[in-house]
DNA sequence: CATTGTATCAAACGAGTGTTTTAAGTCAAT
DNA sequence: ATTGACTTAAAACACTCGTTTGATACAATG
């Protein structure tokens, strides 16, 4: 087995374990066992556990929304459509339909309790996504909107996307798992968030179905 | 020192430690040291570490929004005002201006990674707050709104409140700590969330200032 | 005062952890 | 065939953790 093979086998095993249990509770013994390697191999290939964790995160660069969809936009794409696309891409990314199904869980942990060693690694994609969202909002908002308001709106958008992912368990508990499985797929969630945000920004009618409203003032 | 005094001293010390480090990383040694007690006292008074954790959470019942403000509502209070009040109370509760400043941090951990032993304990206040919010939404939404839509809207409200609290660190990182400290106090955050939600529900104009919009269709 | 029950403490135990050591194995180049 | 660097494997090490133990101090009780 080549050196890189061994490294990758350990990294492949480490990702899910770190994601499932967190840095501290994950043990190198379990990781090595799942990788079919000896306990000492982590230290041989990565020096120590912490560096293995850093390398694990380095390998799975968090998704950059920009790369996924900005190519699909033309100059005539409306800001509203861009915002919709952004939200859909973000929700999908957070739900983890990608190569590493455990990545969202790991990101969740890093968002809630950042590991000092990895703060820098995760900053970059966060900044990139945040900037992309802001560039969309700049197109939507009046030119003299103060930056802090634009930022707050950006957090409103991102916050909902993140929350629908992070609070899965509690959400399922509150509404029952039947309804959860029926109505909280990525597309439905993204559509809901898009409607809320576009309505709040005045780019779409309020989210109550038109003509059904009880008493419109 | 009486038995209850000793118990309380340990509980007082345990809260912040559990909140800061999580159940697993928190050590009974550190807790006992901060409580000025011997290492063995945790087992003497609480049996084991897990039970100490359960008792810690039992003692700090998460805040119930209802108790704080429903008394202030009359029959003429508009649903929009109720929603505003709810959001303000929730944000303030999550920011932890109360007796246990470390409670929000601990709740954050339990939301992201529920401890089996405490799931039941936290369910009740969550259910209560969720129900209160829904009763407000019932007044706002058309009578034939399907329940799952109402639930999604409720999560939009709660999600933003939670997110602005949970993602503090990352938010401060993205926008800079100066702007964060200037514009992310409980009142300002709650006002922002209220505006977004009321606008999305058609109970207030869109959040861009009236008359400033670039191109209204 | 002697006894009993409670509270505290230092010390140690046993399990689990990351890490190191040491020796054996592998394999290509000489 | 031999060398020598690289890799694997088993064991042990050093440390931390939760927990237990046994001794001690002390107050209440008869």
């Amino acid at each position: 087995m080549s050196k890189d093979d061994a490294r990758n086998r350990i990294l492949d095993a480490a990702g899910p374990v770190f994601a499932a249990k967190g840095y501290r509770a994950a043990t190198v013994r379990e990781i090595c066992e799942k990788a079919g390697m000896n306990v000492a191999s982590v230290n041989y290939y990565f020096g120590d556990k912490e560096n293995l964790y850093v390398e694990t995160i380095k390998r799975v660069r968090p998704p950059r929304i920009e790369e996924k969809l900005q190519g699909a936009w033309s100059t005539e794409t409306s800001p509203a459509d861009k915002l919709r696309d952004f939200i859909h891409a973000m929700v999908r990314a957070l739900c983890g339909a990608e190569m590493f199904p455990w990545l969202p869980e790991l990101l969740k942990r890093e968002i809630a309790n950042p590991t000092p060693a990895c703060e820098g690694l995760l900053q970059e994609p966060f900044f990139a996504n945040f900037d992309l969202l802001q560039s969309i909002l700049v197109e939507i908002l009046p030119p003299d909107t103060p930056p802090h308001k634009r930022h707050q709106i950006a957090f409103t958008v991102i916050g909902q996307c993140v929350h629908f992912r992070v609070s899965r368990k509690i959400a399922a508990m509150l509404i029952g798992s039947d309804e959860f499985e029926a109505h909280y797929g990525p597309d439905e969630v993204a559509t809901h968030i898009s409607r809320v945000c576009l309505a709040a920004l005045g780019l779409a009618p309020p989210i109550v179905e038109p003509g059904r409203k009880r008493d419109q003032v």
Side-chain angles (χ1 to χ4, degrees), chain A:
Chain A
M1 182 186 313
S2 87
K3 181 162 182 164
D4 281 356
D5 270 2
R7 272 181 62 100
N8 283 330
R9 273 178 56 185
I10 297 175
L11 286 171
D12 287 339
V17 177
F18 280 132
K21 313 202 168 181
Y23 173 74
R24 181 124 184 182
T27 71
V28 302
R29 281 182 163 81
E30 179 181 355
I31 291 170
C32 290
E33 191 182 356
K34 294 203 170 160
M37 307 240 80
N38 188 270
V39 206
S41 43
V42 158
N43 301 88
Y44 180 77
Y45 285 105
F46 298 92
D48 57 10
K49 180 187 178 183
E50 182 174 324
N51 188 251
L52 167 61
Y53 184 68
V54 174
E55 294 296 325
T56 302
I57 292 205
K58 260 191 198 160
R59 207 173 54 142
V60 292
R61 187 157 48 98
R64 299 182 58 161
I65 309 297
E66 192 169 3
E67 297 168 0
K68 301 201 167 179
L69 41 73
Q70 208 171 30
W73 293 343
S74 71
T75 49
E76 306 112 41
T77 309
S78 76
D81 282 338
K82 287 185 184 175
L83 183 56
R84 230 187 305 263
D85 286 348
F86 179 90
I87 292 172
H88 275 264
M90 178 128 214
V91 170
R92 217 184 305 268
L94 286 171
C95 283
E98 20 238 304
M99 214 182 324
F100 307 103
W102 42 267
L103 176 57
E105 189 67 25
L106 201 151
L107 283 183
K108 186 180 85 177
R109 290 184 184 276
E110 279 292 329
I111 290 173
N113 305 95
T115 305
C118 294
E119 268 183 315
L121 287 177
L122 297 177
Q123 273 182 12
E124 190 245 328
F126 280 164
F127 268 97
N129 293 339
F130 192 72
D131 285 347
L132 172 59
L133 174 55
Q134 279 199 103
S135 71
I136 299 173
L137 291 176
V138 165
E139 295 186 63
I140 293 176
L141 298 169
D144 57 346
T145 305
H148 79 265
K149 288 217 165 186
R150 194 178 60 231
H151 295 158
Q152 287 175 338
I153 296 169
F155 283 127
T156 280
V157 175
I158 294 181
Q160 286 181 81
C161 298
V162 171
H163 182 75
F164 272 91
R165 161 72 208 186
V166 168
S167 308
R168 276 169 174 260
K169 287 181 191 167
I170 293 196
M173 193 184 78
L174 285 170
I175 62 176
S177 50
D178 290 346
E179 182 184 323
F180 184 82
E181 274 154 35
H183 293 290
Y184 287 76
D187 281 330
E188 197 155 356
V189 165
T191 302
H192 165 73
I193 297 176
S194 298
R195 277 222 279 262
V196 169
C197 295
L198 292 174
L201 290 168
L203 296 177
I207 56 181
V208 294
E209 285 82 3
R212 287 220 208 138
K213 195 121 190 326
R214 190 184 286 168
D215 45 356
Q216 182 89 41
V217 227

